[in-house]
Amino acid sequence: MSNNEKMSSLKPFLRVAVEQWMPWIKTDVQEDGTVKVLGPMANLLDILADKVNFEYALVQPPDHAWGVSLPNGSWTGMMGMLQKEEVEIVLGPSSMSHQRETICDFSDPIVTDDFAILMIRPTLQNDVSGFLKPFAMEVWLLTLMSLMSVILAMTFLERMEGEIYNFTTKNVHSKATMWAIQNLSQESSEWLPRMNGGRLLVVTWLLASLVFMSSYSGILTAMLTLPRIPIPIDSMEDLVAQSDLPWRLEAGSMIYQYFKEATDEVRQKVFVNSDVAAKGCWAARESIASGEFAAICDRTNMKMAMSWDFSTTGSCHLYISRENVYSNAMLALAFTTKSTYLARANHVISTVKESGVFDKWVRDEITNTSQCLRPLTSTQREGISPLNIEALSGPFLLLSGGMVAGVLVFLTELVSWWVYGGDP
């Protein structure tokens, strides 16, 4: 065989940029500095190398980032390596974007994914003010205003009717106050106005009180018997409206650049008020599960974190928001511009996708997520469970406060009686 024939039989040697992104790809740096990869993208790379006929070496970016553009036009991370032609392929998979397409050529999309918010899983918590929750604050205020209006109206009517029909009601204001409160709490009252005008007001207030208290008792019973689990964060609006749970974006990622360049107010707040982390949800899964912060990343990555959590603890500590922060992100391999390998790579990718092999590889990486993806209410026990002291702590505290106030009023009356010699 001639030297030319030997050279023509040698496979091209390509440099492939890789970085860990579970479950797509897992990197393992050997003692000699070489990089090995596992996972669906590693399997795809081996098939590409065989069918497209090339050999490869794996390299990681110094900043371990996917890559974002800088003001001077250069790029960081793996995209920067591709721009400077330090590598021929970025294994990724990388999110396709218009900006990235200016420095590279993407293969056909391998998969489509959504980005959402990953946080600690909300749990049922006892609320001291829970007995106030059957009505919204506006309803409570209107009920209080109605009570005060009825008291004033009854006092006025009773006095005016007394002048017209020549009778006097002693302590009419205090009697009207006690009558209105007793009717609202569904208690009987010994005092009633003498004439028809006042009694018409009595009937009106009785009907209104019946509706108020029947609605309140029914809703409160339902809430105590089958309490709902509140979800404080289920969208970007919820995220920026609260201050209890900080959140992070992965530095050097497409989603980081997406929020950085967003023009609407909500997304700007997401970026401005966020912390920036070097790694994504998988690396921070333990911190997220313990409630230190929330993170924004792709749903497949979050399901992998859920799978790990349930497999290691037997419980679900993570929750994925129902609303996406970014939908239908197309993930693909990135090649240098006008790469001669792109067309053949697309043919291989199409075959692997249509056969269902790639989806099977991903499913094999993600297990034990069905339990954690169920609705939060499904974790509640079926049937009626006894209420504990914490569930009724609010009414007990209110009762204690009323008893203390009553004792203080009594002591005040006692001191007044003693000072004024029995005539307070």
Side-chain angles (χ1 to χ4, degrees):
M1 182 182 293
S2 65
N3 290 336
N4 290 335
E5 290 175 334
K6 291 180 180 179
M7 292 180 63
S8 63
S9 65
L10 294 177
K11 295 182 179 180
F13 190 82
L14 305 182
R15 293 157 298 178
V16 180
V18 296
E19 189 53 55
Q20 181 160 290
W21 185 12
M22 301 292 285
W24 310 108
I25 185 168
K26 179 181 180 181
T27 58
D28 183 16
V29 181
Q30 306 296 305
E31 293 182 359
D32 60 359
T34 58
V35 181
K36 290 187 177 182
V37 290
L38 299 171
M41 295 304 297
N43 299 338
L44 179 60
L45 178 61
D46 288 337
I47 294 177
L48 285 172
D50 178 58
K51 299 301 181 182
V52 182
N53 194 38
F54 64 84
E55 294 181 348
Y56 61 87
L58 302 175
V59 294
Q60 288 184 290
D63 57 2
H64 298 282
W66 256 248
V68 295
S69 62
L70 299 176
N72 61 6
S74 63
W75 284 69
T76 63
M78 292 188 290
M79 287 295 163
M81 299 175 72
L82 200 63
Q83 182 190 38
K84 292 178 284 189
E85 297 186 354
E86 296 174 355
V87 296
E88 286 76 30
I89 303 175
V90 171
L91 186 59
S94 301
S95 300
M96 301 173 67
S97 68
H98 174 72
Q99 279 188 318
R100 288 180 172 179
E101 287 179 337
T102 61
I103 62 164
C104 69
D105 288 337
F106 283 106
S107 68
D108 291 339
I110 301 172
V111 69
T112 301
D113 208 349
D114 301 320
F115 286 75
I117 306 168
L118 182 68
M119 72 201 81
I120 186 172
R121 190 175 183 87
T123 56
L124 181 62
Q125 297 178 348
N126 292 307
D127 188 357
V128 175
S129 61
F131 68 101
L132 298 174
K133 298 299 176 65
F135 288 164
M137 183 57 66
E138 296 84 356
V139 176
W140 281 117
L141 291 175
L142 287 173
T143 303
L144 179 60
M145 291 175 61
S146 300
L147 175 64
M148 296 174 63
S149 300
V150 167
I151 292 172
L152 294 175
M154 179 58 73
T155 303
F156 175 79
L157 277 175
E158 187 68 8
R159 285 176 177 173
M160 291 299 100
E161 288 179 335
E163 292 184 5
I164 295 173
Y165 295 101
N166 195 25
F167 66 86
T168 302
T169 302
K170 295 182 179 180
N171 301 321
V172 62
H173 183 70
S174 60
K175 289 180 179 179
T177 301
M178 290 304 300
W179 160 81
I181 294 175
Q182 286 175 327
N183 283 329
L184 181 63
S185 58
Q186 304 295 289
E187 295 181 16
S188 61
S189 175
E190 295 182 359
W191 178 83
L192 285 175
R194 297 184 183 184
M195 306 308 296
N196 293 333
R199 294 189 176 187
L200 179 61
L201 183 59
V202 168
V203 174
T204 304
W205 182 238
L206 282 172
L207 290 174
S209 299
L210 177 64
V211 174
F212 289 153
M213 298 314 297
S214 298
S215 301
Y216 174 79
S217 59
I219 297 172
L220 181 62
T221 301
M223 291 176 63
L224 292 175
T225 306
L226 295 173
R228 295 182 301 171
I229 299 177
I231 304 175
I233 302 173
D234 226 359
S235 65
M236 286 186 293
E237 289 78 5
D238 296 338
L239 187 66
V240 299
Q242 57 84 42
S243 57
D244 296 329
L245 186 65
W247 62 90
R248 291 184 177 181
L249 297 173
E250 183 179 357
S253 64
M254 182 279 295
I255 203 69
Y256 172 86
Q257 189 152 16
Y258 167 73
F259 280 105
K260 180 180 179 181
E261 297 174 353
T263 56
D264 65 288
E265 182 179 358
V266 173
R267 287 174 174 80
Q268 285 180 344
K269 287 182 179 179
V270 171
F271 179 79
V272 172
N273 298 328
S274 68
D275 296 326
V276 179
K279 296 294 182 180
C281 288
W282 172 255
R285 60 193 183 279
E286 294 185 63
S287 298
I288 297 173
S290 63
E292 294 181 24
F293 54 84
I296 295 177
C297 42
D298 62 291
R299 287 186 176 271
T300 305
N301 186 257
M302 292 188 283
K303 291 178 183 178
M304 183 69 180
M306 278 186 167
S307 174
W308 164 86
D309 177 42
F310 190 79
S311 298
T312 54
T313 67
S315 302
C316 301
H317 302 98
L318 294 169
Y319 175 75
I320 302 175
S321 66
R322 287 181 295 180
E323 181 179 294
N324 294 328
V325 301
Y326 188 95
S327 300
N328 299 322
M330 293 184 290
L331 309 180
L333 275 71
F335 290 77
T336 53
T337 304
K338 297 181 180 180
S339 172
T340 58
Y341 302 98
L342 181 58
R344 287 178 288 171
N346 281 336
H347 177 72
V348 174
I349 290 171
S350 176
T351 303
V352 172
K353 284 176 56 182
E354 291 175 1
S355 66
V357 172
F358 190 84
D359 290 337
K360 181 181 182 303
W361 291 338
V362 177
R363 288 195 302 270
D364 290 342
E365 296 289 329
I366 303 175
T367 57
N368 295 329
T369 58
S370 57
Q371 177 68 22
C372 298
L373 291 174
R374 294 172 63 190
L376 294 175
T377 53
S378 65
T379 59
Q380 294 180 222
R381 293 180 297 177
E382 296 182 357
I384 299 176
S385 58
L387 297 174
N388 56 27
I389 186 64
E390 293 183 3
L392 293 175
S393 57
F396 281 119
L397 287 175
L398 182 63
L399 177 61
S400 300
M403 294 177 68
V404 171
V407 171
L408 291 176
V409 171
F410 170 74
L411 292 176
T412 303
E413 293 174 340
L414 186 63
V415 171
S416 177
W417 175 84
W418 179 74
V419 170
Y420 294 100
D423 186 15

